[in-house]
């Protein structure tokens, strides 16, 4: 594993240490877990976007003529 140095203000550091203690973990573990979850979510979103783009390219769907007006859509 690599070590990383971050700059953080005193109040945030104090709050983060308190949260880590409440969760019976270390600040290091708390940050590592956050970054792992962030990376996982981003990778998942990236795969989903690629899949959507792929489906759009493969789609044979056709859009028909527009048979409505904006005013008709917003009629109350």
């Amino acid at each position: 594993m690599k070590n990383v140095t971050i700059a953080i203000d005193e109040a945030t550091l104090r709050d983060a240490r308190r949260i880590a203690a409440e969760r019976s973990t270390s600040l290091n573990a708390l940050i590592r877990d956050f970054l792992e979850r962030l990376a996982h979510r981003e990778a998942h979103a990236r795969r989903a976007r690629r899949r959507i783009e792929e489906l759009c390219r493969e789609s044979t769907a056709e859009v028909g003529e527009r048979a409505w007006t904006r005013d008709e859509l917003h009629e109350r």
Side-chain angles (χ1 to χ4, degrees):
M1 276 200 205
K2 296 283 185 178
N3 288 323
V4 176
T5 302
I6 62 170
I8 189 168
D9 67 83
E10 292 287 332
T12 302
L13 178 59
R14 185 177 51 252
D15 291 343
R17 283 182 171 153
R18 180 186 45 77
I19 292 166
E22 289 170 356
R23 295 182 183 186
S24 299
T25 191
S26 66
L27 184 57
N28 189 58
L30 197 67
I31 294 168
R32 183 175 48 245
D33 180 59
F34 171 78
L35 292 175
E36 286 171 353
R37 284 185 284 118
L38 175 65
H40 177 76
R41 280 193 310 268
E42 288 297 316
H44 180 74
R46 192 170 28 259
R47 285 191 302 271
R49 283 190 297 274
R50 271 192 244 132
R51 181 63 179 140
I52 289 169
E53 290 169 355
E54 182 181 309
L55 290 171
C56 287
R57 284 190 300 275
E58 294 172 358
S59 176
T60 59
E62 294 182 20
V63 178
E65 289 185 35
R66 185 170 80 179
W68 42 263
T69 66
R70 183 180 188 279
D71 291 333
E72 290 172 332
L73 287 177
H74 296 283
E75 253 180 31
R76 293 182 188 239

